[in-house]
Amino acid sequence: VRTWSPARAGRVNSSHRACLIARFGFIYARERLDAETILRAYICDMETVQRIIYIAAVESFCAAKMAFWKIKVNVKQTLALDHMGPESLEVAALDYIAHHKDLYNVCQSVQEVVCSMNANPKIPYPPDVDFFLIRTLIRELCCLAFSMQTLIPPLDIALGVDGEVFSKTKYFRSCDSDFTVPFVAYHVWPPLMENGSVIVKGEAVTKR
């Protein structure tokens, strides 16, 4: 029988957190580059390709967090009927969702992300480009973002704004950046955050 204790919950949360952070790095190093390769077959401009992938990452986190919120509301309502502790109802709901990932319809989130990208005015893309081409990247990001919401505290990404002052604590500069320019031209990958602090840097391009 699995027993609950604050110490055990902390160890489980810490281990799960480390795995999710590592996965975020793997997606950046592998699936992101795979998506770049796919899009480059249709789009010659590398900046456009990188902008598309960044927007895909942001939209994936947004879709997954919204799906998680809806599921958590339903789970808490169900568990509240006979919840006796010892953990709080909030912790019990997070634990339940973490162990029942099949509650999450990731395919629906992927469709929502693609629809949002199709309507995004910041993406100048040819009509023959179908963003379902990079559904593997989107799916992995959605699953990761969803799992990150089961942590205490949850992990999230920071949203960047074109033209913002470049922050060394939040981003690495891309190799083709102008290192004398203090402003971000566009973002390549978002930083990972925990309670407002950067735990994994993102990537940005600085150009005149």
Side-chain angles (χ1 to χ4, degrees), residues 11-29:
R11 289 195 300 271
V12 171
N13 190 70
S14 178
S15 175
H16 188 40
R17 173 183 178 275
C19 290
L20 294 177
I21 292 172
R23 183 61 189 143
F24 185 77
F26 292 151
I27 292 176
Y28 169 75

Side-chain angles (χ1 to χ4, degrees), residues 74-125:
N74 292 332
V75 168
K76 289 179 73 172
Q77 289 176 345
T78 301
L79 294 181
L81 297 176
D82 57 0
H83 179 69
M84 301 294 291
E87 72 274 28
S88 68
L89 180 59
E90 177 76 12
V91 171
L94 295 179
D95 186 61
Y96 185 90
I97 296 171
H99 289 85
H100 295 82
K101 294 185 175 66
D102 56 316
L103 292 170
Y104 179 37
N105 184 354
V106 66
C107 292
Q108 181 177 340
S109 285
V110 171
Q111 292 176 345
E112 291 173 357
V113 171
V114 171
C115 288
S116 295
M117 293 177 68
N118 284 331
N120 193 310
K122 291 185 178 181
I123 301 179
Y125 66 95

Side-chain angles (χ1 to χ4, degrees), residues 59-166:
E59 293 292 348
S60 295
F61 266 77
C62 288
K65 288 190 295 181
M66 180 58 70
F68 181 86
W69 178 79
K70 292 178 180 178
I71 290 171
K72 189 175 74 168
V73 168
N74 292 332
V75 168
K76 289 179 73 172
Q77 289 176 345
T78 301
L79 294 181
L81 297 176
D82 57 0
H83 179 69
M84 301 294 291
E87 72 274 28
S88 68
L89 180 59
E90 177 76 12
V91 171
L94 295 179
D95 186 61
Y96 185 90
I97 296 171
H99 289 85
H100 295 82
K101 294 185 175 66
D102 56 316
L103 292 170
Y104 179 37
N105 184 354
V106 66
C107 292
Q108 181 177 340
S109 285
V110 171
Q111 292 176 345
E112 291 173 357
V113 171
V114 171
C115 288
S116 295
M117 293 177 68
N118 284 331
N120 193 310
K122 291 185 178 181
I123 301 179
Y125 66 95
D128 58 341
V129 174
D130 185 350
F131 291 131
F132 273 108
L133 289 169
I134 58 171
R135 61 185 174 275
T136 298
L137 172 68
I138 295 172
R139 180 185 178 88
E140 289 296 321
L141 284 168
C142 285
C143 289
L144 178 66
F146 185 87
S147 293
M148 284 179 169
Q149 305 315 300
T150 65
L151 296 174
I152 304 174
L155 299 180
D156 200 357
I157 57 172
L159 304 182
V161 179
D162 291 353
E164 68 178 321
V165 176
F166 178 80

